[in-house]
Amino acid sequence: MKIALISSEAVPYSKTGGLADVAGTLYREYIRMGLDVSLFVPLYKTTSVKFADSMTDTGISLDIPVGSDIQKCRLFRLAAKGSPPDARGQVYFISNADYFDREELYGPPEGDYPDNAARFAFFSKSVLEVCRKLKLKFDVLHCNDWQTGLIPLYIEALRLREKLFEDTRTMFTIHNLGYQGLFPPSALDLTGLGPDHFTPEGIEFYGNINLLKAGIISADMVTTVSQTYAKEILTPDKGFGLDGVLRTRKDALYGVLNGIDYNEWNPAADPALPASYAQSDAAGKKICKQALISHCGFTGKSEMPILSFIGRLSEQKGIVLLAGSINELMRRGLKLFILGRGDAHLEKLLRDYAGRYPGDIFFVAGFDDRLAHLAYAGSDIFLMPSVYEPCGLGQMIAMRYGTVPVATNTGGLADSITAETNARQDMNGFLFNEHSLPSFTAGINSALQAYGNRKVWAKIVCSAMGTDFSWPGSAAKYLELYKGTAHNG
Ligand code: ADP
């Protein structure tokens, strides 16, 4: 089986969030499984700076129509200069300096780049053009999020008239329904699609075009990143206006929980940590906590629990709730670590609070992978008060590092955190039901109460560290879906 993974970001080449972890790690997992897989990603500025020595210019240059323009797609592939391609896998970088040689992937904190429709229509078309040029006959094109939503729609038409695509099946994975790729009707021209697609059954959405909808209506299989979220998005409450459309695809809709990369996230061998530790002996975690305390300049007793938040600063992540809880957390003498990048107004909100509590709150507005590792390891409790959460990786990473999550009972948080010991799993975290301040603080209180009892806490930490969030199970599920042998539910 020949598989293409197509994503607008993938670790280690580019990352703004969980999509990158999923695409990059799934690619490596498929290689580990001995599968024939290719990964397609844009060649961003950060990628070319960091990986200049690991990639080769294929010399292939293609003309891609974008509206009335013709844009050049130059194709690079992963392989140290002069070395042959890796027979087991192939990473293709789609390059166009105008579109991708920029500071950010999608835009600065103030807002998206205004030409994102053109940039990702270009990317989607380029991938198919590369398939043609290199005669790559894939069995499955696994597309991700709105940036690649046009691909299944293009394939629907192409497989009727092009032998190369006649047996190609498409999978479209929704990583977050809140980001739909909405553009004015004038953007239709950029996609190359005719006005017959600008209908309620097509990609029209309340007068705009919707690229996520393009993927949903046309892919052979639609998946999302947890089973609970797969159910939630069928409801008006969490469907972002697309619940009706999704209900029409209910029989082709599956939930597959993401995993995390056990090589990158491994407290027993993490080069970013001052000490290593494992489930059987968590002594190293104390050293990591000390290092985090020094890094943050936290004052007071080191037995005090450190609570942390790492994630995008967006309404979705419950930043307003987090900020709302701060006075109460400070009243109790707790320490709070926050690392996040995102909306300017949320950044300001957190900065204002942090300024009020020097020595107690440490806030970094930015993206810092190394610091994230130290914080996952050095803190005690991980806060994830998301309004909704398709899967969420932060809670899984935290658990792997023995940091116990307090999270909203929604989506993938509900599917990965066991808040009450049951026949299959010991309790490994805390869930709160209602997205409100009293409910959130009650969740934190339960965690603090458990923290106060050394034996109880050790058991929860041990269970959290032992929960399996590795990729093999989820990769096998995707493979079943590609082969058409999976059952829904
Ligand atoms: P998202 O909705 O952003 O995809 P996830 O929880 O699925 O959220 O994944 C977020 C990933 O990005 C995690 O690996 C998390 O550690 C990382 N991350 C998010 N924000 C930052 C940041 N500011 N610095 C470092 N890592 C971050």
Side-chain angles (χ1 to χ4, degrees):
M1 169 165 284
K2 205 170 166 61
I3 304 160
L5 284 172
I6 308 162
S7 178
S8 59
E9 53 183 279
V11 290
Y13 312 110
S14 44
K15 171 165 168 171
T16 65
L19 168 62
D21 293 296
V22 174
T25 317
L26 189 56
Y27 170 73
R28 280 206 297 275
E29 182 61 28
Y30 284 161
I31 295 208
R32 200 193 57 76
M33 292 164 80
L35 298 172
D36 180 346
V37 57
S38 297
L39 173 68
F40 290 86
V41 279
L43 184 55
Y44 297 108
K45 185 178 204 155
T46 44
T47 319
S48 41
V49 170
K50 261 171 77 186
F51 292 91
D53 293 335
S54 331
M55 64 174 76
T56 307
D57 187 345
T58 63
I60 292 171
S61 172
L62 302 164
D63 286 342
I64 309 293
V66 182
S68 51
D69 281 356
I70 298 290
Q71 291 284 343
K72 284 275 178 226
C73 159
R74 284 178 62 201
L75 185 69
F76 289 72
R77 66 171 167 75
L78 194 68
K81 290 194 170 80
S83 72
D86 180 348
R88 286 180 309 149
Q90 191 58 261
V91 183
Y92 292 109
F93 299 97
I94 303 290
S95 160
N96 175 298
D98 280 354
Y99 284 150
F100 299 128
D101 197 18
R102 303 184 186 180
E103 294 307 320
E104 305 285 343
L105 270 56
Y106 312 120
E110 297 73 46
D112 292 344
Y113 290 131
D115 60 347
N116 274 350
R119 296 171 78 220
F120 291 101
F122 167 82
F123 175 62
S124 300
K125 290 178 185 191
S126 296
V127 170
L128 298 181
E129 220 36 67
V130 168
C131 292
R132 284 197 184 100
K133 179 74 186 172
L134 299 179
K135 300 201 169 46
L136 298 170
K137 198 171 164 60
F138 288 107
D139 295 294
V140 179
L141 298 182
H142 184 162
C143 306
N144 296 278
D145 277 352
W146 69 262
Q147 293 88 344
T148 59
L150 286 168
I151 293 178
L153 193 57
Y154 291 145
I155 289 289
E156 207 176 40
L158 289 177
R159 71 178 147 217
L160 300 176
R161 34 174 223 264
E162 261 188 77
K163 248 192 142 17
L164 185 70
F165 298 112
E166 71 185 352
D167 298 321
T168 304
R169 284 162 57 78
T170 51
M171 175 180 281
F172 185 63
T173 299
I174 302 165
H175 294 261
N176 192 333
L177 200 62
Y179 297 84
Q180 300 188 352
L182 287 174
F183 300 100
S186 55
L188 192 66
D189 189 39
L190 304 171
T191 66
L193 297 167
D196 50 318
H197 287 275
F198 192 68
T199 63
E201 295 73 38
I203 65 173
E204 188 269 346
F205 186 73
Y206 297 102
N208 286 315
I209 69 169
N210 183 325
L211 297 186
L212 195 80
K213 189 180 173 197
I216 295 171
I217 58 172
S218 58
D220 296 306
M221 299 158 276
V222 180
T223 69
T224 187
V225 288
S226 68
Q227 293 202 346
T228 295
Y229 194 59
K231 291 189 192 113
E232 287 174 346
I233 58 178
L234 299 176
T235 66
D237 184 35
K238 297 222 166 69
F240 281 95
L242 282 172
D243 46 297
V245 177
L246 283 159
R247 283 196 295 274
T248 68
R249 300 300 322 270
K250 195 167 177 272
D251 293 341
L253 176 66
Y254 298 82
V256 183
L257 193 70
N258 290 331
I260 55 172
D261 182 345
Y262 267 34
N263 292 321
E264 189 194 346
W265 303 109
N266 180 7
D270 186 334
L273 300 185
S276 57
Y277 59 99
Q279 191 188 14
S280 51
D281 171 23
K285 189 167 170 68
K286 285 207 179 97
I287 300 173
C288 295
K289 183 169 179 178
Q290 273 309 329
L292 184 64
I293 289 172
S294 313
H295 183 93
C296 300
F298 285 149
T299 51
K301 294 193 191 125
S302 66
E303 313 81 75
M304 274 322 272
I306 301 179
L307 281 58
S308 60
F309 171 91
I310 301 169
R312 281 183 297 112
L313 302 185
S314 77
E315 303 282 345
Q316 180 213 332
K317 297 291 175 185
I319 304 300
V320 176
L321 205 51
L322 178 68
S325 72
I326 283 179
N327 286 338
E328 171 64 12
L329 301 182
M330 295 301 108
R331 202 184 55 74
R332 291 166 146 252
L334 302 165
K335 305 292 170 195
L336 181 60
F337 171 95
I338 303 174
L339 169 62
R341 187 175 63 174
D343 296 356
H345 74 283
L346 295 172
E347 191 179 312
K348 181 174 180 315
L349 180 69
L350 293 172
R351 198 182 293 289
D352 287 350
Y353 270 108
R356 263 183 253 164
Y357 298 102
D360 297 318
I361 300 183
F362 185 79
F363 171 48
V364 178
F367 195 95
D368 188 335
D369 206 33
R370 211 178 157 81
L371 182 56
H373 278 255
L374 180 63
Y376 279 119
S379 36
D380 300 289
I381 294 172
F382 191 75
L383 302 177
M384 237 167 137
S386 307
V387 178
Y388 69 95
E389 193 58 76
C391 175
L393 299 176
Q395 81 283 11
M396 297 186 191
I397 299 169
M399 283 192 260
R400 177 120 165 99
Y401 282 77
T403 300
V404 177
V406 174
T408 322
N409 190 4
T410 187
L413 297 170
D415 291 357
S416 57
I417 297 171
T418 306
E420 273 173 38
T421 297
N422 61 42
R424 292 205 345 242
Q425 166 85 48
D426 280 343
M427 169 182 185
N428 59 19
F430 297 83
L431 291 168
F432 59 95
N433 288 326
E434 208 184 293
H435 198 262
S436 67
L437 197 53
S439 187
F440 180 39
T441 39
I444 294 174
N445 282 341
S446 305
L448 292 174
Q449 216 173 0
Y451 182 85
N453 183 327
R454 200 184 285 209
K455 255 190 165 163
V456 170
W457 192 251
K459 197 159 183 262
I460 298 173
V461 168
C462 186
S463 163
M465 291 184 78
T467 311
D468 184 7
F469 295 119
S470 63
W471 262 103
S474 304
K477 177 85 183 176
Y478 277 125
L479 214 57
E480 276 180 29
L481 287 167
Y482 298 159
K483 290 179 183 157
T485 55
H487 299 286
N488 214 341

